[in-house]
C-alpha cells in the first residue's frame, strides 16, 4: 500500500494538469473510478486504462498549460530570422524550451507539492481531492497570462454566465484562452526579432544589386553578417533573459 501511494505521488504533478472539467466529469464518483488501488472498490484493468489514457495526454497538456508553446514559437522565428534553416536543430530547440519550461514552472510544481502531494502522503485527503488541489496552482498560473479578450471569447463560446472574477472560471475555459494568448505573445516577440535581421537582408540585397552581383544570392552574404551581429550582442543571453523576465 505504501509503494502504491509513492507511485501515485510521483504521477500526481503530471496528472493534475489533466483535471479539466470535461475530463473529470465522468470520473467524479468513487464507485465508477477505477485507479490502480486509488479507490476502495476500484478494479485493476480499468485503473490501467485511465492511467495510460492520461499518460497519452501529457504532450498536449505540456503544450497547452505551460510556457512551452511561447518558447518554441520564439525559437523558431529566431532561427528563420537568422537564416540558419537547421541550426540549432529541432532537438536542441525543443530541449532548451523544455529546460526553460521546467525552470519557469518550478514554483508551480512547488505549490502543487505543498498543497496536494504532502497532504495526500499524510493520508489527510483522497486522490481526487489531491488532483483538485493540485490543479489550482496550474489554473492560477494560466490566468496570469491569459488575456481578458480570450477568456471572454471562450466564456461566450461555452455559453457560461460571466463570473464575478476570473478565479471562478473553470479549467475548460482557462486552458484554451491561455494557449491562444501564448501564441499571440510568441508571434509578437518573433516579429520583433525579425526586424533587425530584415534590415540587414534589405541592405545587403540593395548593395549586391547595385554593384551587379546578381550571380551571388544576397542570403549568402547576409547570413554570416546576421550571425555575427547576434553573437556580438550576446543574443542568447539577451533573448533568454527577456523571455524569462516576461513571466515575472
Amino acid at each position: 500500500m505504501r509503494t502504491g501511494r509513492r507511485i501515485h505521488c510521483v504521477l500526481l504533478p503530471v496528472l493534475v494538469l489533466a483535471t479539466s472539467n470535461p475530463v473529470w466529469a465522468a470520473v467524479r464518483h468513487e464507485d465508477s473510478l477505477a485507479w490502480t488501488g486509488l479507490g476502495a472498490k476500484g478494479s485493476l484493468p480499468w485503473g490501467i486504462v485511465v492511467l495510460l489514457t492520461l499518460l497519452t495526454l501529457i504532450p498536449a497538456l505540456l503544450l497547452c498549460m505551460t510556457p512551452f508553446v511561447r518558447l518554441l514559437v520564439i525559437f523558431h522565428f529566431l532561427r528563420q530570422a537568422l537564416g540558419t534553416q537547421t541550426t540549432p536543430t529541432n532537438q536542441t530547440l525543443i530541449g532548451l524550451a523544455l529546460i526553460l519550461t521546467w525552470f519557469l514552472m518550478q514554483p508551480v510544481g512547488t505549490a502543487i507539492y505543498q498543497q496536494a502531494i504532502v497532504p495526500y502522503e499524510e493520508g489527510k485527503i483522497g486522490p481526487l481531492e489531491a488532483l483538485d488541489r493540485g490543479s489550482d496552482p496550474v489554473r492560477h498560473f494560466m490566468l496570469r497570462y491569459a488575456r481578458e479578450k480570450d477568456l471572454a471569447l471562450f466564456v461566450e463560446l461555452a455559453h457560461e454566465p460571466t463570473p464575478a472574477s476570473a478565479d471562478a472560471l473553470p479549467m475548460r475555459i482557462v486552458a484554451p484562452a491561455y494557449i491562444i494568448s501564448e501564441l499571440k505573445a510568441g508571434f509578437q516577440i518573433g516579429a520583433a526579432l525579425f526586424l533587425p535581421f530584415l534590415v540587414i537582408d534589405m541592405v545587403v540585397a540593395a548593395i549586391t544589386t547595385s554593384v551587379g552581383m546578381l550571380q551571388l544570392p544576397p542570403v549568402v552574404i547576409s547570413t554570416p553578417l546576421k550571425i555575427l551581429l547576434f553573437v556580438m550582442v550576446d543574443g542568447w543571453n539577451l533573448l533568454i533573459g527577456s523571455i524569462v523576465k516576461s513571466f515575472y
Side-chain angles (χ1 to χ4, degrees):
M1 181 63 182
R2 186 63 180 175
T3 303
R5 184 177 292 275
R6 290 177 180 175
I7 294 175
H8 300 153
C9 291
V10 172
L11 292 176
L12 189 58
V14 175
L15 298 182
V16 294
L17 297 178
T19 53
S20 57
N21 287 354
V23 175
W24 289 100
V27 294
R28 283 296 181 183
H29 300 289
E30 289 284 349
D31 293 337
S32 61
L33 180 67
W35 297 73
T36 54
L38 292 183
K41 303 178 181 179
S43 60
L44 180 61
W46 181 246
I48 294 176
V49 171
V50 173
L51 289 177
L52 291 178
T53 302
L54 291 176
L55 289 176
T56 60
L57 295 176
I58 290 177
L61 296 174
L62 178 63
L63 289 175
C64 295
M65 300 183 179
T66 65
F68 184 80
V69 168
R70 183 193 299 194
L71 295 170
L72 201 58
V73 168
I74 293 173
F75 294 153
H76 175 75
F77 273 108
L78 174 64
R79 188 170 65 179
Q80 294 296 320
L82 288 173
T84 55
Q85 300 299 324
T86 58
T87 305
T89 62
N90 291 332
Q91 291 83 356
T92 302
L93 295 181
I94 292 174
L96 179 58
L98 285 173
I99 292 296
L100 291 177
T101 299
W102 171 79
F103 177 82
L104 292 169
M105 294 297 291
Q106 188 174 10
V108 179
T110 302
I112 293 173
Y113 178 79
Q114 294 175 350
Q115 297 178 18
I117 297 180
V118 172
Y120 176 68
E121 284 183 329
E122 296 175 352
K124 297 180 179 178
I125 59 176
L128 288 181
E129 185 177 354
L131 288 171
D132 288 336
R133 289 190 181 186
S135 65
D136 286 338
V138 180
R139 187 166 58 85
H140 290 312
F141 172 83
M142 292 190 292
L143 281 173
R144 290 178 57 187
Y145 304 105
R147 299 187 306 164
E148 293 184 4
K149 182 178 181 180
D150 296 328
L151 291 171
L153 171 64
F154 284 98
V155 169
E156 180 183 355
L157 293 177
H159 303 288
E160 294 278 349
T162 304
S165 64
D167 292 335
L169 290 173
M171 187 73 78
R172 65 187 291 259
I173 291 177
V174 176
Y178 170 78
I179 190 67
I180 290 180
S181 301
E182 286 295 282
L183 285 172
K184 178 178 174 61
F187 273 78
Q188 287 177 331
I189 299 174
L193 286 174
F194 249 105
L195 294 179
F197 300 112
L198 179 62
V199 172
I200 294 177
D201 285 332
M202 294 175 63
V203 171
V204 171
I207 293 175
T208 54
T209 302
S210 63
V211 299
M213 298 176 59
L214 302 179
Q215 295 81 6
L216 186 64
V219 68
V220 175
I221 302 175
S222 63
T223 298
L225 295 177
K226 291 187 290 186
I227 296 175
L228 180 62
L229 173 64
F230 189 73
V231 172
M232 288 180 60
V233 301
D234 198 3
W236 285 112
N237 184 280
L238 293 175
L239 177 62
I240 300 302
S242 300
I243 294 175
V244 173
K245 290 177 182 178
S246 68
F247 284 94
Y248 291 95

